[in-house]
Amino acid sequence: MINAKDYFEVGIKFHGHKCPAMPLGLRAGAAAMNSLGVERSQDKELVMVVETGNDHAAGCFVDGLMTVTGCTYGKSNIKKTYVGKMAFTLIDTKLQKAVRVQLKAEFFGKMLQSPFVLQRKQGVLPQDIIANITDPLVDGVMNRAEEEFLAISPVFDYHFEKTKGTFDTDLCAVCGERVFVHKLQTVNSEKVCIPCAEKANK
């Protein structure tokens, strides 16, 4: 079983400040992993499709998800759909199974009325909000029962096609920079990078 508390300190360090949303990501990610019966992704064993956008709290939530699941932008096994929901689907690429987890609407609505969020709305940076406001919220997130704030779907079949990565590169004929070959485009019979191709097509 994955315990979100084991990842709390590294999550705070990675995220950069203490807030309630990053721990929510830790808890939600751990719940999804436990539902699937999987370990943290070392490579691309897991893939995550996140429904958040770039709004406040959404990014913090995703940092928690990345910390606990090992799905990261560097490994390219996490994708955002930008639909503005605090929800995600975690996919086990080996067994072709998945689970969708979301914050319960009533719980999240109440969180957005918290003193912490009211301070954020006034422009106070999260690291500048006093511990007396932040700590009880964070402790509450880390210690409450999953069923109080998470809606976890049954595990379902998910067809996931793995794509093969490439280690082959070539030089752009225009700028001379080295590019992975699958991103080179043909312009005037020459292989060029995407930025140079876009300039040529203007």
Side-chain angles (χ1 to χ4, degrees):
M1 293 286 285
I2 303 297
N3 189 337
K5 291 181 179 179
D6 293 339
Y7 296 87
F8 180 76
E9 292 302 328
V10 69
I12 293 291
K13 187 173 286 190
F14 171 65
H15 185 52
H17 63 256
K18 186 184 278 191
C19 69
M22 189 284 293
L24 281 172
L26 291 178
R27 293 292 311 278
M33 294 167 74
N34 290 331
S35 291
L36 288 172
V38 295
E39 296 297 320
R40 192 173 188 274
S41 190
Q42 295 181 28
D43 187 38
K44 298 183 182 183
E45 301 87 355
L46 302 178
V47 169
M48 182 178 287
V49 180
V50 184
E51 298 174 37
T52 61
N54 291 331
D55 310 293
H56 287 302
C60 304
F61 180 68
V62 174
D63 273 358
L65 293 175
M66 288 197 294
T67 299
V68 73
T69 65
C71 295
T72 66
Y73 289 104
K75 292 202 293 274
S76 299
N77 60 338
I78 183 171
K79 299 169 179 42
K80 272 190 185 182
T81 63
Y82 297 95
V83 298
K85 295 184 180 183
M86 296 292 273
F88 65 94
T89 297
L90 185 65
I91 304 154
D92 178 346
T93 65
K94 289 182 177 178
L95 296 181
Q96 302 278 293
K97 299 288 184 181
V99 65
R100 184 176 184 267
V101 178
Q102 63 178 309
L103 296 188
K104 288 186 174 180
E106 185 178 357
F107 169 82
F108 190 52
K110 286 181 179 177
M111 286 285 290
L112 293 175
Q113 301 304 315
S114 70
F116 183 91
V117 174
L118 294 178
Q119 290 269 301
R120 294 291 289 119
K121 284 181 178 179
Q122 293 170 15
V124 181
L125 295 173
Q127 61 267 29
D128 294 335
I129 297 175
I130 60 173
N132 286 350
I133 290 176
T134 305
D135 288 352
L137 290 172
V138 171
D139 292 343
V141 166
M142 293 304 295
N143 293 299
R144 71 178 64 243
E146 284 179 1
E147 58 269 21
E148 291 182 32
F149 68 104
L150 294 177
I152 305 170
S153 79
V155 173
F156 55 92
D157 293 333
Y158 192 107
H159 177 67
F160 182 85
E161 262 187 63
K162 291 186 177 181
T163 56
K164 191 174 180 181
T166 181
F167 294 90
D168 298 325
T169 64
D170 203 348
L171 300 180
C172 170
V174 176
C175 69
E177 294 181 357
R178 188 163 292 280
V179 186
F180 284 101
V181 292
H182 66 299
K183 292 298 182 181
L184 286 167
Q185 301 183 5
T186 302
V187 177
N188 298 326
S189 301
E190 292 186 311
K191 297 292 185 182
V192 301
C193 68
I194 291 173
C196 288
E198 289 174 348
K199 287 177 187 175
N201 291 327
K202 283 184 178 178

